[in-house]
Amino acid sequence: MISQYQESLLLSARTFHSGPMDSTYEDVLENLDSGIMLFDEEGVLSFANKQMYAILELQRHSILGCTMVHLLSHIQLSRFKKKQLLRGYRDLVCKVKPKYEFVDEYGRYWRVTLSAGEQMKGYSLITVKEISDYKLIEQTAYQNDSLAMLGKLSASIAHEIRNPLTAIRGFIQLLRPHLQQLGKEEYAKIILAEIDRANDIIHEFLNSSKPSVPQVGAIPVSALLKEIVLLTESEALMKGCQINLHPLQSEMIISVDVKQLKQVVLNMIRNAMEAIAEKADNDMGKIEVGARREGAEVRIYISDNGKGMDACTLDRLFNPFFTTKENGTGLGLSVSDRIIKDHGGCISVSSRINEGTRFVISLPLTH
Ligand SMILES: Nc1ncnc2c1ncn2[C@@H]1O[C@H](COP(=O)(O)OP(=O)(O)OP(=O)(O)O)[C@@H](O)[C@H]1O
Ligand SMILES: [Mg+2]
């Protein structure tokens, strides 16, 4: 059934075509937030609204009366838009899909739909709508859902693992005097240390996956970065890369949960090391770490000359469980993103394939 909305569009378009358009309809069509194009029975463009010209970046007079073929060979239409028009045509007309979605040159999401067939009396109506806001909400909902699920899952795993570990720990302690008699007390020590390590890992895992209130304390950014670089330097050298900590121009104090912030930066440095290791060439791997003041904020940056990322990876980077690594969990950045948001900040990233990646953490400074 043709919708009332489409019926009125059709009517308006016909009126537009055959004579002066009723000004109410004209206003409605011109001021729609979607771009619309109406092709008649012969496939000739008989109407397009203001928004549509803006999307195509073309003049009104230059496309009215064009067919889709003319439009595709329009000299002023960018290559990118021609490509999207062609893909949209293939999906909507040839494959009869209900919609076609794409991301434009500026990173905005768009949805294209086509209404055609008998109920349109031979006319074809194309609508193009920006859906960046919906996409953002969709992604946030997906992330929140996955994190909530992860919280429940990890709580039950911890419960299942911690209990047997406690029992093992108890029995080893009971056996300790016997091992001592056999001159094997060292074994007991190792087992106990390993059980404690396993407990610590579970504890850390639970802390990182469960939304928790940050234990905030004031700390100078320079001290924080120095400590993290010290922690990772030797691991980096072993992996054939060098970490350069740039001296800060001024002292900056932030109020953060130090443990959580360390976790974020450590994960980014580890990611950088892994991206360098996965790069095909033998160039020396370099990781640059530093921070600068930007108004009332500090921007902490971690950049590497590793393998970089394509647009598809960049798009899904912060999704829980998204990983391109064989042994990755895909949790590092999604947890980092939540930690930084909990601190009133944000993470941005830029990357070029085979050249490298730069992460920037923005956080409010303490006044
Ligand atoms: N510096 C980087 N260079 C290139 N790709 C990166 C970089 N940082 C992150 N990525 C990409 O983002 C994905 C997600 O990173 P994230 O830290 O969330 O998970 P992971 O490193 O795969 O696993 P883990 O949970 O063990 O950290 C990585 O698998 C990788 O493809
Ligand atoms: Mg990681």
Side-chain angles (χ1 to χ4, degrees), residues 267-268 270-271 274 325 330-333:
N267 178 55
M268 287 182 185
R270 292 236 159 83
N271 280 347
E274 284 157 1
K325 300 168 193 168
L331 287 173
L333 285 175

